[in-house]
Structures are given as structure tokens and as C-alpha cells.
């Protein structure tokens, strides 16, 4: 299950976050599809149903959902890209590690190795200890709190209403069970150890004001992978950059980056499926993005962090 946008023989797998839904990536998927990409946003095991089903899954089950999407694409696509948001970005890294040389490039949004954004409570570092307690650990839930990863006020209110409506298919769960958090951390530990295995081009898009996972997460990945990378810092978004105020920029930067990784012949084939003839050529002729150094991106983070 998931969401599919049919296009040409260049495929993109976009992975949603923990307790999230494929719709949080639908805007990016539509941008890519307009330029001819076939895009699939798989539904991770245990998601968009009852929380009891999520509790029956592990990180390996979520990873299997992504791998199944990869196998389906492998039968039809000439080229496969991958990406995701938050925990979905971590799962995309895991996919590239599992199938070296089979993914052309990655696009990672708000990658979450640590929950260290400005809205996370100061004592959150004690959470791993709490989750190991026999009684409390099994019953703990990390509840979503203001601003819910969204800077746009109107959108935030709408998403929050969907979250508390009791329909997980609308905007995901309103909280994250402790068991699922433990599984995420196991996945993160595995992916971090093997980051040097990532040798393919990687686009990192992260809000400098991320309320859940600071931009240090993206910088850490950039400094530990072996392949070429580009880090884009957003100035007017929070964690959910694929739906927040700079969503359009995120989509177009993704399109540009993936197109840059294609050969001339592959670009010509992709152009046969674009919605508006000439889009690709116009995109490639636009001014190239110039990256800022990590030290500059980190400036001011300590001043912005307001502990709850």
C-alpha cells in the first residue's frame, strides 16, 4: 500500500516518518512527477491503522516496507532514487546501505538521528533509561507538542485537528509509543555505524530552526558519508519541511538534484514524460545553489533553543 504517481522509467521512493503518513510527502512527489519521475510513497508497516498494530512492528518491518517498494521499482525502472523525511530519511539511508550501487542518489529531509530540536524538553536525554524500566517503559508515549513541526499557523491548526481526530490515516498518530522509539533508536545506531558506506550523491535539506531535530543531524551525516553531498538550510520552516512554508523550494531543489545525477540520454528519456515540455531545460539553466559552511549554519542555535 501507499501512494503512486506514474511517470517515466526514472523512479523515486519517498519514505514518510515514524507515526506519519505517505501524504506528508505528496507535495514533493507531485513536483517530481510533473518532471516525468515515477514516484511511490510506501506505507510503512503498522502505520495509518490502530496503534496496537504499530506496536507489533519493529524497525526491520518498516525497512522491509521500503525494500518491497525498491524490488517493485527494480522490475520496471532504469534508475532509482530514494529519500524520506525524519525517520523516513534514516530508512532511506538504510536502503542505500543494504543495496550499494543500486540507488542513484538520496534526498534526505529533516533527518532525525537525535531529538535535539528547540521544542524537545531538556531532560529528554534520560528517555532511553526510562524506556528500559519494566513497567513505565511499556506504557510510555511521547506526545506530539506545539508547534508540531509546522511553522505555518493555519496549516499547524489543521494538522493538529486531524491528529486528535482519532483517524491515523489523516495525519498520523498524536504520539509515539515507547516501544516504537526504542526500535527507531536501534535503526539509527545501525545506520550511523555504516554511514561511510554511503558513497552516492546525497541532498540534505534541513530547517535551521527545526523544532524536533536540529540541523546538527544533517551536518553529522554530511561529515560522515563518503559520497558527494549538498546541504540546503531553510530559514522559514520547522521540522515538517515537506509541507511547511518552504515546501515548494524543497520540491524544486529535489527535482534539480535528481536531474543533475542523470546522463544526457536519461534526461532526454525523462523529458518525454514531463507535464510541460521544456521544463527540464529551464530548470537546468537556472542559477546553481551555493552552499554555506556548517559553521555558519550552526550560529545562533543555542540562542534560539527555548526549553519547555
Amino acid at each position: 500500500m501507499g501512494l503512486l504517481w506514474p511517470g517515466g522509467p526514472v523512479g523515486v521512493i519517498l519514505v514518510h516518518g515514524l507515526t506519519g503518513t505517505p501524504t506528508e510527502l505528496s507535495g514533493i512527489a507531485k513536483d517530481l512527477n510533473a518532471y516525468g519521475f515515477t514516484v511511490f510513497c510506501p506505507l510503512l508497516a503498522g502505520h495509518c491503522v490502530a496503534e496496537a498494530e504499530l506496536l507489533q512492528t519493529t524497525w526491520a518491518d518498516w525497512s522491509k516496507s521500503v525494500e518491497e517498494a525498491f524490488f517493485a521499482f527494480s522490475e520496471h525502472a532504469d534508475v532509482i532514487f530514494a529519500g524520506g523525511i525524519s525517520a523516513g530519511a534514516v530508512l532511506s539511508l538504510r536502503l542505500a546501505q543494504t543495496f550499494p550501487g543500486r540507488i542513484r542518489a538520496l534526498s534526505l529531509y529533516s533527518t532525525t538521528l537525535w531529538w535535539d530540536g528547540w521544542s524537545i524538553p531538556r531532560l529528554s536525554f534520560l528517555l532511553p533509561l526510562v524506556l528500559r524500566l519494566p513497567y513505565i517503559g511499556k506504557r510510555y508515549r511521547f506526545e506530539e507538542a506545539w508547534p508540531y513541526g509546522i511553522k505555518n499557523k493555519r496549516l499547524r491548526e489543521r494538522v493538529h485537528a486531524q491528529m486528535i481526530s482519532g483517524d491515523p490515516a489523516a495525519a498520523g498518530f498524536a504520539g509515539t509509543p515507547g516501544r516504537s522509539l526504542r526500535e527507531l533508536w536501534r535503526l539509527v545506531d545501525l545506520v550511523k555505524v555504516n554511514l561511510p558506506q554511503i558513497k552516492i550523491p546525497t541532498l540534505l535539506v534541513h530547517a535551521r530552526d527545526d523544532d524536533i531535530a536540529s540541523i546538527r543531524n544533517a551536518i553529522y551525516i554530511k561529515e560522515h558519508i563518503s559520497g558527494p553531498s549538498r546541504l540546503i538550510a531553510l530559514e522559514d520552516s520547522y521540522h515538517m519541511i515537506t509541507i511547511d512554508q518552504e515546501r515548494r523550494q524543497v520540491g524544486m531543489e529535489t527535482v534539480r538534484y535528481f536531474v543533475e545525477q542523470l546522463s544526457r540520454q536519461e534526461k532526454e528519456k525523462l523529458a518525454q514524460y514531463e507535464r510541460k515540455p521544456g521544463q527540464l531545460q529551464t530548470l537546468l539553466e537556472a542559477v546553481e545553489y551555493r552552499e554555506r559552511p556548517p559553521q555558519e549554519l550552526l550560529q545562533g542555535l543555542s540562542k534560539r533553543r527555548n526549553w519547555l
Side-chain angles (χ1 to χ4, degrees):
M1 296 177 61
L3 300 176
L4 174 67
W5 287 263
V10 180
V12 182
I13 301 170
L14 295 178
V15 189
H16 66 80
L18 180 61
T19 72
T21 76
T23 57
E24 62 198 29
L25 287 157
S26 60
I28 308 302
K30 291 175 182 177
D31 287 337
L32 286 161
N33 183 245
Y35 283 82
F37 293 88
T38 294
V39 188
F40 182 52
C41 300
L43 176 63
L44 299 180
H47 287 69
C48 292
V49 286
E51 188 174 296
E53 293 194 35
L54 176 63
L55 288 169
Q56 298 303 312
T57 62
T58 67
W59 72 263
D61 296 316
W62 310 332
S63 186
K64 183 179 179 182
S65 300
V66 181
E67 291 176 10
E68 288 175 350
F70 169 77
F71 291 138
F73 261 163
S74 296
E75 298 179 2
H76 307 286
D78 297 337
V79 180
I80 300 176
F81 295 95
I85 183 167
S86 195
V90 181
L91 285 165
S92 298
L93 285 164
R94 177 60 182 167
L95 180 68
Q97 292 169 346
T98 304
F99 301 100
R102 304 282 298 278
I103 305 296
R104 180 67 61 88
L106 294 171
S107 186
L108 309 179
Y109 316 116
S110 306
T111 312
T112 306
L113 303 178
W114 303 282
W115 287 11
D116 61 349
W118 57 264
S119 73
I120 302 299
R122 183 187 294 264
L123 296 179
S124 61
F125 71 92
L126 295 175
L127 190 53
L129 298 177
V130 173
L131 295 178
R132 292 191 183 98
L133 298 176
Y135 182 82
I136 299 177
K138 290 182 179 180
R139 291 161 177 77
Y140 178 85
R141 294 179 82 254
F142 183 89
E143 298 292 341
E144 294 286 341
W146 185 94
Y148 310 105
I150 303 171
K151 190 170 186 179
N152 184 285
K153 183 178 179 180
R154 183 175 299 179
L155 177 61
R156 181 198 308 149
E157 292 174 349
R158 184 168 72 247
V159 170
H160 180 236
Q162 292 174 334
M163 289 172 60
I164 63 177
S165 69
D167 180 11
F173 297 111
T176 304
R179 174 183 168 84
S180 299
L181 280 176
R182 291 199 304 270
E183 289 301 318
L184 172 60
W185 289 333
R186 291 187 178 107
L187 171 64
V188 167
D189 288 343
L190 179 61
V191 168
K192 282 171 58 182
V193 168
N194 294 297
L195 278 178
Q197 294 181 8
I198 303 296
K199 300 179 180 180
I200 57 177
T202 300
L203 174 67
L204 296 145
V205 189
H206 214 103
R208 191 151 74 127
D209 214 14
D210 193 314
D211 58 315
I212 304 296
S214 80
I215 200 169
R216 291 186 181 92
N217 288 264
I219 292 174
Y220 181 90
I221 294 171
K222 180 177 177 60
E223 292 178 344
H224 287 79
I225 60 176
S226 301
S229 64
R230 178 182 300 167
L231 172 56
I232 297 177
L234 303 177
E235 301 294 340
D236 196 26
S237 301
Y238 289 159
H239 186 66
M240 297 302 297
I241 60 176
T242 57
I243 63 174
D244 210 350
Q245 303 195 134
E246 294 164 292
R247 183 211 66 76
R248 184 62 178 172
Q249 180 183 349
V250 176
M252 296 314 297
E253 293 289 359
T254 303
V255 173
R256 169 194 288 280
Y257 195 75
F258 285 173
V259 170
E260 288 176 354
Q261 313 309 319
L262 298 174
S263 67
R264 179 178 178 180
Q265 184 177 12
E266 290 167 342
K267 291 174 185 174
E268 292 174 351
K269 187 177 294 186
L270 182 67
Q272 298 174 16
Y273 296 87
E274 61 182 336
R275 298 291 178 84
K276 298 179 181 179
Q279 284 186 124
L280 285 174
Q281 186 60 35
T282 301
L283 182 72
L284 292 173
E285 291 174 354
V287 178
E288 292 187 1
Y289 170 83
R290 293 191 177 183
E291 190 173 9
R292 291 153 57 195
Q295 293 80 3
E296 181 182 340
L297 296 176
L298 288 173
Q299 288 178 1
L301 285 184
S302 60
K303 295 181 181 180
R304 176 62 181 86
R305 187 163 183 169
N306 297 321
W307 300 103
L308 299 182

